[in-house]
Amino acid sequence: QIAVNTQSVSLSGDGRFAIFPNAADNIFPGEGPGFYLYDRQNDAVISRISSGIPGDRTYSGSDSSALNEDGSKIVMVATGPSGAELWLHDRDADTTTLLSSDIKFGSDHRVGISSDGNRIVFTTEQSLVPADTDAESDVYLWEDGSFELVSVDDGGGNTGGSASSAAISADGSSVIFAHTTSDIDGSPGAFMRRLNTLQTQRISVNFACQPIYSSNIAVDGSGNHVLFLSSDPSMTVEGSRGVFLNDLSLTTSCASGTVTRVDQGLGGASPAPGGARPEIPGVSADGQKLMYLHEATNL
């Protein structure tokens, strides 16, 4: 057993591989801090994935990373001479490529990658395209060496305020994010950008389809199911943070029955006091399995 200095672990879509940053040098002789890959099937750390990143880069236990469906492609955040850098490692080709340097991440280092590894999303305060005319945090898509601003309104316009919590569906069709201003549809909240249709829709709504705020969000493999946390008074009678599923496959617009509470107690009872923890939840590719941290004792 090895003690590692890490606060961030990412899992591949098939559940076999996990990647984590380690600020110590205690895993492989001669290898320093960096990102390490763990194979759950063989119960072993199999490689230092960041070996292809120059040796003067530094790492912390909270650095972000993400794996695609089968763990063959991995996106990582490292700190270089000019600031944060975004790297992509291809395990099949054994190549490590610098996607962008001097990224001004701000407080949100979350990254996401599609199943085929061709689309990557992240949040930065840096303006990477001319349409980004402010210094606020925005969500970007990287694909084939190009960047696209995706935290935009339904018409594709730039928005003021800060975006965060970027994630992408496994099929690469949908990006979700939280936004702090009312520029998109009149209220802060969580949104989805459909990359194929270039539409932006709200995903954080209450049972009556009224807008509410949430920044703790996750999306399934096809963009049809979104999991979000909320303590809005219209959602939880006990006043604590609840966990909700928005089924976007039922309708193209909000309707009664699309949002359901999933952290119910036995027999459908309200959860005991405590509520959901404010960490990012998780949802399986088919939208049928949900993961969240909760303090209630009767779930």
Side-chain angles (χ1 to χ4, degrees):
Q1 186 175 12
I2 302 173
V4 297
N5 180 11
T6 187
Q7 305 168 31
S8 176
V9 178
S10 298
L11 199 65
S12 60
D14 60 11
R16 175 175 175 176
F17 298 101
I19 187 172
F20 59 93
N22 184 30
D25 56 0
N26 57 346
I27 296 183
F28 295 134
E31 295 279 6
F35 284 95
Y36 288 82
L37 189 69
Y38 174 77
D39 185 348
R40 295 180 62 238
Q41 180 172 302
N42 295 308
D43 191 22
V45 177
I46 59 175
S47 65
R48 181 175 177 265
I49 287 297
S50 55
S51 296
I53 298 177
D56 62 347
R57 271 50 174 179
T58 59
Y59 306 87
S60 73
S62 60
D63 281 336
S64 294
S65 59
L67 301 95
N68 69 336
E69 179 68 21
D70 62 2
S72 63
K73 293 185 178 180
I74 302 164
V75 59
M76 301 167 284
V77 176
T79 302
S82 300
E85 299 173 339
L86 196 65
W87 293 83
L88 177 65
H89 179 74
D90 187 324
R91 292 180 59 217
D92 294 333
D94 194 24
T95 58
T96 304
T97 305
L98 177 64
L99 305 183
S100 185
S101 60
D102 191 21
I103 299 176
K104 298 176 176 61
F105 275 109
S107 60
D108 185 7
H109 287 201
R110 189 179 179 187
V111 294
I113 186 169
S114 61
S115 179
D116 59 11
N118 293 330
R119 287 180 167 180
I120 294 169
V121 293
F122 61 98
T123 304
T124 177
E125 296 174 354
Q126 188 177 6
S127 295
L128 299 177
V129 297
D132 187 358
T133 56
D134 58 62
E136 301 288 349
S137 295
D138 294 290
V139 176
Y140 277 88
L141 170 76
W142 177 92
E143 183 178 17
D144 294 331
S146 299
F147 296 100
E148 177 185 346
L149 180 64
V150 293
S151 54
V152 295
D153 60 27
D154 194 45
N158 187 34
T159 57
S162 296
S164 62
S165 305
I168 189 169
S169 60
D171 66 2
S173 67
S174 306
V175 176
I176 60 171
F177 59 92
H179 209 281
T180 60
T181 72
S182 59
D183 289 3
I184 295 180
D185 71 349
S187 298
F191 300 87
M192 174 180 287
R193 180 67 173 174
R194 299 282 190 180
L195 301 178
N196 298 335
T197 61
L198 300 182
Q199 294 175 304
T200 302
Q201 66 182 111
R202 171 177 288 274
I203 55 177
S204 59
V205 294
N206 63 15
F207 302 122
C209 296
Q210 298 169 327
I212 59 174
Y213 184 77
S214 178
S215 61
N216 305 104
I217 52 180
V219 63
D220 71 352
S222 61
N224 286 328
H225 299 88
V226 177
L227 196 64
F228 67 91
L229 275 53
S230 177
S231 56
D232 191 271
S234 66
M235 303 291 280
T236 58
V237 294
E238 75 279 7
S240 59
R241 187 182 292 105
V243 185
F244 304 90
L245 183 70
N246 191 347
D247 189 346
L248 303 175
S249 67
L250 298 177
T251 177
T252 56
S253 60
C254 186
S256 177
T258 60
V259 177
T260 57
R261 184 165 188 177
V262 298
D263 61 330
Q264 298 285 0
L266 296 176
S270 296
R277 295 282 302 275
E279 281 80 16
I280 299 295
V283 55
S284 63
D286 62 4
Q288 300 304 304
K289 298 180 179 64
L290 313 175
M291 179 182 69
Y292 52 87
L293 298 178
H294 213 287
E295 297 182 358
T297 57
N298 66 332
L299 298 182

